[in-house]
Amino acid sequence: MKKFLVITLFPEMFTGVLNASMMWKAQKDGVVDFQLLNLRDFGLGPRRQVDDKPFGGGAGMLLMIEPLTMAIERAKQILPGAKVLLMSPSETIWNQSMATEFANSQDNYIIVCGRYEGFDARVEALVDQKISIGRYVLTGGELPAMSIIDSVVRLLPGVLGGGEEATEIESYSDGDDIEYPQYTRPEVFRGQRVPEVLLSGNHALIAKWRQEHKTK
Ligand code: SAH
């Protein structure tokens, strides 16, 4: 079973996404397990402070190193040997081949979500990999964490219907190719017809058409 543990200030953001559709089914089938640690529980003092102003000045607040360290240490006790991933707008950009690699590996993952202006850079000493989901800035690491989790979990054996084929011939599974267009009933909708060849039952011709209609 693949296990994910997410460290976040907003655990409630995950409940909808991780408990719907395929993510819900994957948990129910025992393919994956999700846990959430609230960074607030590791905050300092009576106000459970987790952020502070950056040394040297500048706008915004940074997640402090102490709560982050305590949360990551706790996560490592729960999931010994798990890889620690830090959501970060810079660095390696997530892609389909990384999702495949993560799905195929035996590793479990601890995902650390930043907030505000980010985190005290010393957290990097506790991290195996910094991952970005694209060259744009979000308000927190929660959406990146959910994107990574979703793209990995759907590749785990048994999660999608249709066997392995569903993930073998889709977009990005072969370099940058994008899946061919697909159609379902009705055959004609407001004058738009489904390509005749797809209704022909001729598998060789269908395969040829699909090959020709992939986007490179
Ligand atoms: N001040 C930072 C941005 C912080 S955004 C900067 O200029 O680089 C707050 C947090 O959101 C980050 O610490 C990170 O955890 C997350 N985040 C924002 N955009 C992201 C992206 N594209 N990929 C992954 N994580 C992202």
Side-chain angles (χ1 to χ4, degrees):
M1 187 198 291
K2 192 158 266 342
K3 296 182 179 173
F4 291 91
L5 190 160
V6 181
I7 298 172
T8 169
L9 276 175
F10 298 95
E12 67 278 8
M13 286 180 70
F14 289 81
T15 48
V17 170
L18 299 185
N19 292 313
S21 185
M22 294 302 172
M23 298 301 114
W24 169 79
K25 183 174 167 289
Q27 285 179 85
K28 183 176 71 80
D29 294 346
V31 176
V32 70
D33 178 62
F34 303 122
Q35 288 181 73
L36 297 159
L37 277 189
N38 192 334
L39 185 62
R40 185 67 61 192
D41 294 341
F42 302 86
L44 307 181
R47 288 182 52 251
R48 299 235 168 257
Q49 186 183 353
V50 292
D51 57 340
D52 209 341
K53 298 190 199 85
F55 283 128
M61 302 290 268
L62 295 178
L63 295 179
M64 299 158 82
I65 188 65
E66 285 157 280
L68 282 169
T69 300
M70 288 187 287
I72 293 171
E73 285 175 355
R74 178 84 191 95
K76 285 180 166 176
Q77 284 169 358
I78 298 170
L79 289 185
K83 290 263 153 63
V84 181
L85 314 176
L86 185 68
M87 300 297 94
S88 162
S90 58
E91 308 298 322
T92 312
I93 310 272
W94 186 247
N95 62 28
Q96 188 64 18
S97 61
M98 291 170 75
T100 308
E101 200 182 295
F102 278 40
N104 290 341
S105 90
Q106 296 304 308
D107 291 330
N108 293 318
Y109 297 100
I110 294 164
I111 305 185
V112 184
C113 302
R115 271 276 151 185
Y116 316 121
E117 276 306 306
F119 13 66
D120 186 311
R122 287 170 288 187
V123 72
E124 292 182 20
L126 301 170
V127 164
D128 293 297
Q129 206 173 349
K130 293 197 280 177
I131 300 177
S132 165
I133 61 160
R135 298 195 168 279
Y136 45 86
V137 181
L138 298 161
T139 54
E142 287 76 11
L143 291 171
M146 287 185 241
S147 302
I148 288 170
I149 289 171
D150 187 289
S151 62
V152 172
V153 170
R154 67 188 289 286
L155 296 175
L156 296 173
V159 173
L160 296 189
E164 305 303 302
E165 202 189 343
T167 57
E168 268 169 21
I169 55 170
E170 66 187 351
S171 304
Y172 305 117
S173 55
D174 179 16
D176 284 335
D177 285 5
I178 304 297
E179 192 176 63
Y180 42 78
Q182 304 209 73
Y183 305 85
T184 184
R185 294 187 306 160
E187 287 176 22
V188 186
F189 180 69
R190 295 188 181 169
Q192 283 202 90
R193 279 195 162 276
V194 172
E196 211 56 49
V197 57
L198 300 179
L199 310 171
S200 70
N202 183 328
H203 295 297
L205 275 183
I206 292 171
K208 181 166 174 282
W209 184 91
R210 286 180 165 171
Q211 189 59 34
E212 287 165 1
H213 287 78
K214 284 204 283 191
T215 310
K216 299 279 175 188

